[in-house]
Amino acid sequence: MSGTETRPDRGQSRERGHGPGVGRDLGVGHSAPRPDGTLKVTGEFAYSSDLYLADMVWGATLRGPHPSARIRSVDVGPALAMPGVLAALTCEDVPGELFYGLDRRDQPVLAADRVRYQGEPVAIVAADHPERARRAAAAIVVDYEVTEAVTDPRRAAFDPSCPAVHDGGNVVRHQPVRVGGDFTAPVVVTGEYEVGMQDQAFLGPESGLAVPAEDGGVDLFVATQWLHVDRDQIAPCLGLPPELVRLTLAGVGGAFGAREDLSMQVHACMLALRTGRPVKMVYGRQESFFGHVHRHPARMRYEHGADLDGRLRYVRAEILLDGGAYCSSTPAVVGNAASLGVGPYEVPNVWIDAYGVYTNNPPCGAMRGFGAVQACFAYESQMDRLAEACGLSPVEVRVRNAVSQGSRLATGQVIDSPAPLAGMLRELAAMPLPPEPSRTAGPVAVPPPAGPARAAAATSVPDPAGVRAPGAAATPDLLDLPGGVAQTTHGEGVRRGVGYGVGIKNICFSEGFDDHSTARVRVELLGGEPHVLVRTAAAEVGQGLVTVQEQIARTELGVERVTVAQADTTVGSAGSTSASRQSYVTGGAVRAACRAVRERLAVLRANGETLAETLERAGAVEETRVYRHRPTFPMDPVTGQGDSHAQLALCVHRAVVDVDVELGLVKVVELAAVQDVGRVLNPLALEGQIHGGSAQGLGLALMEEVQVVDGRVLNPSFTDYLIPTILDMPPMRVSVLANPDPHAPYGLRGAGEPPTLSSTPAVAAAVRAATGLRLPRVPIRPHDIAMDGSRYGNWAGDRSL
Amino acid sequence: MNGETDITGADGVPDPVTADLRLSVNGVPRPVTVDTRETLLDTLREHLGLTGAKKGCDHGQCGACTVLVDGRRALSCLTLTVTADDVEIVTVEGLADGDALHPLQAAFIENDALQCGYCTPGQLCSAAGALAEAADGWPSAVTPDLSAPPRLDETEIRERMSGNLCRCGAYPGIVAAVGQVAR
């Protein structure tokens, strides 16, 4: 069954099934409904792709087809000659800076002398109809000289003869972590792991509307994650001061990291300024696959050394992240992979080298989990192998090494808030397991039924011969089997497996970044009643931040009527909707501004006056506050030491799968999760975050991969890039802990990303338990199970002493 | 229809062939003249100002454009508008009865069956279609007994809603919301 369990001693009771009612508390800790919910279910919510102005025209982008090529010439003449075409622009038309980027300004607004990845923008056009714009873009003639593409990240990193994708070499960042010096142990397990390139695959493709303004500036309505950093990249490229580039958040159809970098922003503004007309740009699904960064694919080598009792003595790791053609946020992704590379375990000796490299593959950057996802798959796979080697259950080996409050990370940072990992694992393991698939009459071999003790241990390789279910011959209901109605066997090869995964994620921006948010809160009388207006630049992308902002204002000010204004750049930066940080940082800013308003009101208020009377007499009260979390510090470039993170969050998953080992089909039967969120702000919205993060981790484990061969993407569509459907997503058991972090507003802990980490290794471990295969790569494809499994050797045969 | 012989315009590109249609959308007559190559999704969004139906993929892969055509689910991105003459089209904008939300809309809010909401118009139309199909006795691939009216349990809901992607992963809420209305 699906459901969240919250015990009375730890959080708010579950409120699913109750709509907002009169007098119901809709403040912090309650399942206040989304203020945008009604607009979203009636189709009235205006997404960036829904914007319309009567005189607007349409922009389109011409993208280079080659992963690496020199551009000899670009001729926009044929496009300009077409009816309805208003402009066709190239790099020579960029009014200001030619490059932008989150970390390094290395990405051309439009390619100049060369293209570095398949799909790089070369020219843009504006026309009076989207189809005319598309055809005009296609009519532009570009003369390319194809050059050698660098597509092997290992070669890019370590082969001096490899061509440089950018001047200055291919290594974007190398971050070592060095602790201790004893790399010997009686039990050693080694493994090489790979994570494929995952796409955020938000359902609302990149889009926006740029409107030229009379003051020579531009107003841009766009779906993004961070309005101010967009503006600070756009304005220099347009040659405009930042105050002439005004951004307003349009409705965001999902983000997951993919809107952290610019896509059509500068292009639409350039076309608007050139044509003097509002310009709308909307990517199609295929273009979207080329229009944003992906999750870094990773190649990782791990060696874990432990005592015979399973306690870790050392971890050595090399983590190689393919950043693709441009820098994006690769340095920060490398920082996360390095600092969290051993996972939430106490390890006295650590030797990690994490690299992010340039190649001519698609650019990679932010995606939910950000660098911690890749390492988590590898270290959790290693923990299972260590369990096997030491004869321990996966839960026990993790419990024995689990961090807790006071533990030291590999970076030397001490965990100074609750981190009850061992207890979380025990709780997870004690959750009841789902029943075996229902069976009807007929003879068939099935694996032994998993009793609680055996299944909780979950490492036993199922008896390959199988045994009959007790109580007589049984045939599984095909509808319950992996593949469902598409099953072509009668389930003879179906095996059940159970696996565990643990993840640790940094919350908020790390490594010394000045991470802050700004909130303006105004209390006034509206229709004779007190009303609160909250204004921030924080991007609501579906996670429910607008709800949380309202709840905070209600709780802090005791006013029921609260409105959160549409986010724009008329107020200070809120930072990015990334790193699970907005409830913490923008929530902190809203709380601080509310408290400042409250203090002002306390001074203004005369004895016995109601709030309405005070506001009537004294007028509106407005305060703006900037909130910063505690400072973080850079990692030492040689040793990796440093208190680089503001907050750390833990999530643990158990996955139960049925695998048809002959067909290679996997059905996830159940996911269970335990997560410590510090404080539950909104139980219903939190549950959604845990479901969603778990689903995306499941996708990475079993189906999601941008397939890139020789720098070319093979599957830029939802026919070929598969994301979990409602049939793939199993029922979930969720248990939420609320051990407050004393450093954070309300004690909260960022919640959106941690489940994305731990569900992937849990599902992979469950498939391994069911098949006995090593499966060192995600996503695990059917042929990894059914065809090529033998080359990985037997799961149990890898013990090294 | 026009342009049956020479359809080449001055620029060498064929002039569009247009058709005058009497669409009926959400109970309102909406006469339009459209390019015969145009999809119903583009007609709704670009000509009729009904942007509720979403273009998530434009290839029938995601379900975000789902509308009801004569009460049955249709992917409007794969439906040519010319085929929708003289039928009744219902979009997400037409589900509510005035200010009163459709029970599915209320259930989606109550069960938080959405996050970003981009897939929600398609999910809602799809769910409305699924309820109607079940009420009319249509079995699905997972209906156990073809001789009895299908009962929309979780398995049936998942099967019948499997054409609508939700990247936010709000599936547990969607199952709960549809189940609540189906009961």
Side-chain angles (χ1 to χ4, degrees), chain A residues 388-401:
Chain A
E388 190 74 27
C390 295
L392 297 171
S393 76
V395 171
E396 183 56 29
V397 81
R398 288 170 170 86
V399 166
R400 285 189 187 180
N401 292 288

Side-chain angles (χ1 to χ4, degrees), chain A residues 194-525:
Chain A
E194 268 188 53
V195 174
M197 183 185 287
Q198 191 178 18
D199 188 67
Q200 301 86 348
F202 46 51
L203 276 201
E206 293 85 344
S207 48
L209 177 67
V211 186
E214 285 183 4
D215 61 5
V218 63
D219 292 280
L220 177 64
F221 302 83
V222 67
T224 183
Q225 290 176 229
W226 189 355
L227 291 167
H228 283 78
V229 91
D230 276 14
R231 182 196 66 184
D232 293 346
Q233 294 175 89
I234 297 165
C237 295
L238 299 176
L240 291 173
E243 60 272 19
L244 289 184
V245 179
R246 294 163 292 257
L247 270 71
T248 301
L249 187 69
V252 182
F256 317 117
R259 299 190 206 268
E260 201 166 282
D261 294 74
L262 297 184
S263 57
M264 44 55 66
Q265 282 91 329
V266 182
H267 299 160
C269 291
M270 281 174 61
L271 290 168
L273 291 170
R274 175 63 72 98
T275 60
R277 302 275 290 272
V279 173
K280 182 169 172 177
M281 292 185 86
V282 182
Y283 291 178
R285 177 55 51 189
Q286 178 169 327
E287 184 171 22
S288 179
F289 273 96
F290 296 98
H292 60 253
V293 299
H294 311 286
R295 188 193 297 291
H296 290 70
R299 298 183 188 182
M300 298 169 285
R301 294 173 171 165
Y302 268 76
E303 180 178 307
H304 280 55
D307 287 321
L308 292 169
D309 66 358
R311 282 178 217 282
L312 286 167
R313 286 176 61 163
Y314 74 86
V315 172
R316 297 170 67 104
E318 179 192 278
I319 302 167
L320 180 58
L321 299 156
D322 185 351
Y326 293 103
C327 180
S328 181
S329 49
T330 292
V333 169
V334 171
N336 276 9
S339 60
L340 303 172
V342 303
Y345 302 115
E346 293 193 335
V347 190
N349 300 283
V350 176
W351 183 289
I352 292 176
D353 288 292
Y355 302 89
V357 296
Y358 282 130
T359 63
N360 292 113
N361 290 322
C364 291
M367 183 176 173
R368 194 175 194 170
F370 201 82
V373 162
Q374 295 91 330
C376 182
F377 170 66
Y379 65 67
E380 285 299 277
S381 300
Q382 284 285 97
M383 293 305 281
D384 283 340
R385 300 194 55 209
L386 183 62
E388 190 74 27
C390 295
L392 297 171
S393 76
V395 171
E396 183 56 29
V397 81
R398 288 170 170 86
V399 166
R400 285 189 187 180
N401 292 288
V403 294
S404 57
Q405 185 164 3
S407 294
R408 215 170 261 283
L409 298 176
T411 56
Q413 179 164 9
V414 173
I415 299 177
D416 59 358
S417 75
L421 179 57
M424 292 164 70
L425 279 161
R426 290 198 185 98
E427 179 175 351
L428 184 68
M431 286 184 181
L433 282 160
E436 291 284 313
S438 60
R439 313 271 163 184
T440 53
V444 68
V446 297
R454 178 193 164 99
T459 47
S460 319
V461 178
D463 179 354
V467 296
R468 284 192 187 176
T475 287
D477 183 342
L478 291 185
L479 299 177
D480 287 337
L481 296 178
V485 291
Q487 254 281 2
T488 56
T489 73
H490 293 280
E492 310 87 286
V494 174
R495 304 284 183 271
R496 176 154 289 191
V498 179
Y500 290 84
V502 167
I504 182 167
K505 178 68 183 57
N506 58 314
I507 305 300
C508 301
F509 280 19
S510 297
E511 298 192 69
F513 191 88
D514 178 22
D515 196 16
H516 62 272
S517 181
T518 315
R520 184 178 302 150
V521 171
R522 179 184 178 86
V523 184
E524 62 195 324
L525 281 186

Side-chain angles (χ1 to χ4, degrees), chain A residues 121-159:
Chain A
V122 176
I124 48 177
V125 300
D128 60 359
H129 187 280
E131 271 307 305
R132 281 208 171 106
R134 189 183 65 79
R135 289 183 186 200
I140 294 170
V141 179
V142 185
D143 185 12
Y144 295 101
E145 176 194 341
V146 174
T147 52
E148 181 192 352
V150 177
T151 57
D152 177 356
R154 187 163 295 283
R155 187 170 170 240
F158 305 121
D159 180 354

